[in-house]
Every structure is written in C-alpha cells, then in structure tokens.
Amino acid sequence: MKKIILTLFLGVLISANSFSQERLTWHTDVNKALEIAIKENKKVMLFFTGSDWCGWCTKLQNEVFKTSDFEKWSNDLVLVELDFPRRTPQDETIKAQNRQLQSIFKVRGYPSVHFVNPQKMPDGRMNLNSLGKTGYVRGGAGKWLEVANNIVKK
C-alpha cells in the first residue's frame, strides 16, 4: 500500500513539473519570434546555450527558467533559445541562424542572455535595439530576475 501511495505521489509531482514546463514557449526560429514580439508589443529574450555540454547553461535553466517565478515574469517577453549543441543533431538552417546571431551579439561564452526590443523598419527590415545582457547569476531565480528586471525596464 505504501508503494502505491508513493508511486502515485511521485507521478503527480512529475506531471506537475512537466505541465509547468509546457506553459513556456521557447522559439528557435528568430524571425517568427520577432514577428510575434512586434505583433504583441513585447520584448525578446535571446538565450544562447550549449544544451548538451554547458553545465552553467543547465544550471541557469534549472535554477531560473524552470521556476514558476520565471514563468510569471516572462509573460511580457518572447523567449528564443539559440542552441549550440555538440552532440545533438541540429537543422542546418537553425545552425546558420544561430551562428549569425552569435556573431552579431558577439557572444563569446555561455550561457549568454540578451534582451532586445525589435522594431520593424519602413523598408521591411528588422532592427534589434539591444537593452542589455546577462548570464548565470548566483542566488537563484530571485537574484537573476532582479538583474533581468534592471535590463528590461530600461
């Protein structure tokens, strides 16, 4: 009987955690994300990561991005994950897009989080007004969100 109750309890915890993860939408196509941001008048968070090799990236995701505090805070943003995996296969179009953005934002280390305010120009081109950047911040979600707020509220 104890095993059944324990199994049910663990199942509920895992389901609740999975459900909270699904509520956040991380875009990988930056052009689609920018269109959404302009349409909804939102800023964009660009998360440069090495998902299958970067320990600090995993730490940032677990301590901040996978929390309910971040989920609530990020409602006014469009989230974009720009991944640079070493072992996981990746579409060539996404690879090229990510390398181009890495070059534009001069990303040299991971994790790197850039906040931008997109603006569509009269000629149809997209301008990304940089608001600032951060990376891993010690102290969990509260400390990271404090730093991010100072950038986004500009």
Side-chain angles (χ1 to χ4, degrees), residues 47-121:
F47 173 45
F48 292 86
T49 182
S51 65
D52 65 2
W53 59 270
C54 174
W56 290 107
C57 301
T58 303
K59 200 169 172 77
L60 177 60
Q61 286 185 326
N62 290 333
E63 291 180 11
V64 180
F65 300 161
K66 292 181 179 179
T67 66
S68 59
D69 288 343
F70 179 80
E71 182 185 326
K72 289 177 209 153
W73 178 83
S74 67
N75 283 335
D76 295 329
L77 295 171
V78 175
L79 306 174
V80 180
E81 181 182 69
L82 303 164
D83 195 8
F84 296 84
R86 292 185 178 161
R87 295 179 301 276
T88 307
Q90 191 177 42
D91 181 82
E92 288 301 318
T93 309
I94 296 295
K95 270 186 189 180
Q97 167 202 267
N98 293 358
R99 280 193 299 265
Q100 181 182 23
L101 288 164
Q102 177 189 36
S103 175
I104 290 169
F105 287 95
K106 297 177 177 47
V107 174
R108 303 281 182 253
Y110 303 93
S112 187
V113 181
H114 290 255
F115 296 94
V116 297
N117 194 8
Q119 177 185 19
K120 197 161 199 163
M121 305 306 286

Side-chain angles (χ1 to χ4, degrees), residues 11-23 66-67 71:
V12 168
L13 282 178
I14 291 168
S15 296
N17 188 35
S18 296
F19 180 69
S20 69
Q21 298 300 314
E22 294 171 5
R23 288 186 280 200
K66 292 181 179 179
T67 66
E71 182 185 326

